[in-house]
Amino acid sequence: LSHWCPLLACGPGLEGSVLPWALAYDGDELSAFEASATVLANWGQRFYECHSHPPVELLASVSALLAYHAPAVAVHLQQIGADPAAWAWPLLQSFFSRALSPADWRAVWDHLLAHEPVFLLPVLVAYVKLHGPALLAAGSAQQACATLLVDSVLRVEPWMKAAYALLDATPDDLLPRWAPFSPLPQGHSYPRHMVPQATSVVLDGRAEVERIKAEEAEILQRRYLAARAAEAGDEAVRSAAAAEARRLEREEEEERACEALEVARWRLRRPDGSAE
């Protein structure tokens, strides 16, 4: 996926988006890739507007939908500082796999695949709305996020009924205009136009990421060279110390030899003080 669309490698979250599809196809890499690419290009078509940051416009649409259909919950989340980037984005980015069992995740996607990609948003808002009592009891953003992001016990059938009712009750001007579903076309290559278009923010971000990577590589190279120099310096010190030890040993041996020679000469002296 990153080879097909390098943009996908510029931020976290790709694993959570595609892992359920990889598991669903159980080792069939080609099918897993094509399913992941199709989902990302359709249901994830608004994910990359500020990549590698959360999509601001998409999260604003989610907040507006929640304020319309569950105003008390929306106001409470705002009061306790629970930003949509903290509770909505993890659910969207993982396509709900973060909070659902594999069986429930497959059941939800039976409904998502049968509708246009924008149906993803009513499904999300219905999920949050049905957790309303627990969210209203939350006293902090951490508690609210834990309510939505832990393993959900919500039954899929009433959840989907709520999502359909919410979709029907949403004014046309409140639901974002998304491109309709478009499958991967047949052919010998995967078309680049299926990849979400990068904005200037994304391009600037990619340039910044590349700059940081280059700086990190340079720092690592400097550390490596410094370590090698230190090793070389230590070796030089050790060599110098060994040479000095050998020099001192030689001097001591020479001194001992001189002393022995003096002793020998002294022993060979005659009683009158002359040498033999």
Side-chain angles (χ1 to χ4, degrees):
L1 282 165
S2 297
H3 176 74
W4 175 57
C5 177
L7 177 69
L8 298 175
C10 294
L14 180 62
E15 297 86 353
S17 300
V18 304
L19 178 59
W21 299 101
L23 296 177
Y25 284 96
D26 192 22
D28 185 349
E29 295 183 359
L30 177 60
S31 297
F33 165 77
E34 292 188 340
S36 300
T38 300
V39 168
L40 290 171
N42 287 278
W43 286 268
Q45 61 182 267
R46 295 296 182 89
F47 285 11
Y48 306 94
E49 295 171 342
C50 302
H51 195 67
S52 59
H53 302 286
V56 176
E57 185 176 348
L58 174 60
L59 296 180
S61 298
V62 172
S63 297
L65 285 171
L66 184 64
Y68 182 84
H69 294 286
V73 174
V75 170
H76 182 70
L77 290 176
Q78 185 177 9
Q79 289 176 344
I80 63 176
D83 189 87
W87 56 264
W89 180 229
L91 291 171
L92 290 171
Q93 192 176 34
S94 66
F95 294 116
F96 299 106
S97 65
R98 176 166 179 168
L100 300 180
S101 66
D104 286 345
W105 179 83
R106 289 191 294 268
V108 169
W109 270 94
D110 283 342
H111 293 267
L112 288 172
L113 291 171
H115 295 79
E116 291 296 338
V118 75
F119 185 54
L120 180 70
L121 300 188
V123 170
L124 171 63
V125 174
Y127 177 85
V128 177
K129 183 178 180 180
L130 291 175
H131 284 85
L135 292 174
L136 291 173
S140 66
Q142 291 76 11
Q143 293 177 358
C145 292
T147 298
L148 296 172
L149 301 180
V150 297
D151 295 340
S152 177
V153 296
L154 197 64
R155 294 178 56 239
V156 173
E157 184 178 355
W159 175 13
M160 292 300 104
K161 288 183 178 179
Y164 289 123
L166 191 146
L167 177 62
D168 292 337
T170 300
D172 291 339
D173 59 348
L174 192 59
L175 197 64
R177 299 297 180 186
W178 282 21
F181 174 78
S182 177
L184 291 176
Q186 297 182 355
H188 298 289
S189 63
Y190 299 103
R192 293 288 180 176
H193 71 269
M194 294 290 293
V195 182
Q197 295 296 318
T199 63
S200 59
V201 174
V202 173
L203 295 176
D204 292 343
R206 289 182 62 184
E208 182 68 10
V209 168
E210 294 301 323
R211 184 188 66 80
I212 293 174
K213 286 182 179 180
E215 288 185 356
E216 290 177 347
E218 184 178 356
I219 291 173
L220 290 175
Q221 180 69 10
R222 289 178 179 176
R223 288 178 178 175
Y224 172 75
L225 294 176
R228 291 294 302 274
E231 291 176 0
D234 292 343
E235 183 64 27
V237 170
R238 288 193 293 268
S239 298
E244 180 67 12
R246 290 193 296 269
R247 185 184 67 79
L248 293 174
E249 185 177 355
R250 287 195 300 269
E251 290 181 354
E252 291 176 358
E253 290 177 353
E254 291 174 357
E255 289 179 0
R256 287 195 295 269
C258 290
E259 291 176 355
L261 181 61
E262 289 296 329
V263 170
R265 288 177 178 177
W266 181 79
R267 287 178 177 177
L268 292 175
R269 288 179 182 277
R270 294 179 178 179
D272 59 0
S274 60
E276 292 183 352

